[in-house]
Amino acid sequence: MNMLIQVQDNVLCRYGITRVLENGNSMEKAAVNVSIIHGHLSEARAKAMSSRGRNVEVGSEYFAGALSIVFHPCNPYVPTFRSDVRYFEVKDFGWFGGGADLTPNYLDEDDARYFHTFLKEICDKFDPDFYQRSKSACDSYFYLPARKEHRGIGGIFFDDLESFTVDDHKSENSIMVKEKYKSERAQVFEFVCQLAKGFLPSYLPIVKRKRDLPYGDRERQWQLLRRGRYLEFNLLYDRGVKFGLDGGRIESIMVSAPPLIAWKYNVVPEIGSPEAQMIETLSCPRIWV
């Protein structure tokens, strides 16, 4: 399914393409979103950005562009994959965000190490400390406090990224500072491009290894229960969903939702079972590389 929307008025111009695959051989649902928005900051959006240290005003002109991907596999042994890159600009300043993470139903340490190693190698090309910072940010962000568990085994997550260096003088109005700012932002842009190109290579080898593994109703039901947790996070805590709901297109915002989910009351996996091992892993972030 290919969906295209263009809306323009005196406040907002929005362009987006959504492509959705359903009931595939490997993917029960997969979706890719591209969105471009140009408009003026609403009070809710300005408040959200200011809470993260951005000094922005209601009504400020802004531009935002984003690419997001989500894969919900058929086989319960294949983890769910989510990734995105985005750019936001207000006045003369722009910054990047994005990341990639895995949400498995069953733990495979080899998969976890492969995925995290792949992302770390990209990060290390630009900043040897960036992987650990963005890995910690990912663990912190994709967390369900009411459940006291993380959504998955993480990956990397970053927001408000303008530079790989700490610079307290970006506000100075000088040609040298402005040129340095442009150079640093160009480096971040190159990182974001390499990350986006690495989304599929970081995930598809895992899919190929796992998609034909046999499974039964027990594994399927566990998969549906874990998808319920996935949707809980999206609806209760995800900043991107909240941002989109403030004037966004609801079908594109909710396209990341799993196709089928289950909620059952007080499910407690049997001690020592693979399901219990997964829950134990989600209770505390691990170092994978």
Side-chain angles (χ1 to χ4, degrees):
M1 178 170 57
N2 182 12
M3 304 178 70
L4 171 65
I5 183 171
Q6 275 189 280
V7 178
Q8 185 168 358
D9 55 30
N10 61 347
V11 177
L12 176 69
C13 178
R14 181 172 67 246
Y15 171 82
I17 295 177
T18 300
R19 291 193 173 184
V20 181
L21 168 70
E22 296 178 309
N23 301 317
N25 292 328
S26 297
M27 295 296 147
E28 192 170 357
K29 181 182 179 184
V32 179
N33 260 337
V34 175
S35 61
I36 305 294
I37 304 174
H38 176 77
H40 296 81
L41 288 175
S42 66
E43 182 177 359
R45 288 179 173 176
K47 182 178 180 180
M49 293 168 62
S50 297
S51 69
R52 302 199 309 273
R54 291 285 170 189
N55 185 21
V56 297
E57 298 178 353
V58 176
S60 296
E61 188 173 355
Y62 76 93
F63 166 86
L67 162 71
S68 62
I69 300 172
V70 62
F71 291 148
H72 294 290
C74 302
N75 194 308
Y77 289 111
V78 180
T80 292
F81 173 74
R82 182 220 64 89
S83 61
D84 76 308
V85 289
R86 53 194 182 275
Y87 175 71
F88 208 98
E89 185 174 278
V90 178
K91 297 181 179 179
D92 296 329
F93 292 93
W95 53 93
F96 296 87
D101 62 277
L102 282 186
T103 304
N105 308 300
Y106 292 95
L107 180 65
D108 185 317
E109 296 193 3
D110 289 339
D111 288 348
R113 282 191 287 268
Y114 169 80
F115 183 71
H116 278 266
T117 298
F118 192 101
L119 295 178
K120 185 177 185 301
E121 289 176 353
I122 295 176
C123 294
D124 287 352
K125 295 177 184 178
F126 297 86
D127 181 347
D129 298 322
F130 188 72
Y131 165 77
Q132 188 54 56
R133 295 202 308 271
S134 57
K135 192 266 187 191
S136 297
C138 187
D139 291 333
S140 177
Y141 181 73
F142 292 103
Y143 180 69
L144 292 88
R147 300 284 187 181
K148 294 182 172 56
E149 66 183 41
H150 296 264
R151 191 179 73 174
I153 61 165
I156 63 172
F157 177 85
F158 57 95
D159 222 341
D160 301 314
L161 182 63
E162 297 175 83
S163 169
F164 290 108
T165 61
V166 177
D167 191 342
D168 295 328
H169 306 289
K170 283 184 178 160
S171 60
E172 294 181 5
N173 187 16
S174 71
I175 294 177
M176 182 178 297
V177 169
K178 288 182 178 180
E179 289 302 314
K180 183 180 180 183
Y181 174 73
K182 290 180 181 179
S183 175
E184 291 175 341
R185 195 165 65 168
Q187 186 183 35
V188 174
F189 177 67
E190 176 60 27
F191 161 71
V192 168
C193 290
Q194 290 196 26
L195 176 63
K197 292 177 181 178
F199 285 158
L200 295 185
S202 73
Y203 178 61
L204 290 185
I206 297 173
V207 177
K208 292 177 180 178
R209 288 196 297 269
K210 298 290 184 62
R211 62 187 177 189
D212 295 323
L213 291 179
Y215 66 90
D217 184 65
R218 168 177 169 162
E219 291 79 13
R220 174 60 170 172
Q221 291 303 311
W222 180 247
Q223 178 190 44
L224 297 182
L225 288 169
R226 296 312 306 169
R227 284 179 175 178
R229 296 285 203 272
Y230 192 96
L231 187 59
E232 281 182 27
F233 176 85
N234 282 9
L235 294 178
L236 296 174
Y237 306 111
D238 188 81
R239 290 204 304 259
V241 171
K242 293 180 180 179
F243 181 88
L245 290 176
D246 182 30
R249 182 174 179 273
I250 187 65
E251 287 298 321
S252 296
I253 296 163
M254 296 303 297
V255 76
S256 63
L260 293 171
I261 63 172
W263 275 297
K264 292 185 179 180
Y265 180 73
N266 196 30
V267 174
V268 180
E270 180 183 352
I271 296 176
S273 68
E275 292 82 6
Q277 181 189 27
M278 188 73 254
I279 293 298
E280 181 180 356
T281 301
L282 297 177
S283 67
C284 183
R286 291 176 57 176
I287 298 173
W288 298 107
V289 293

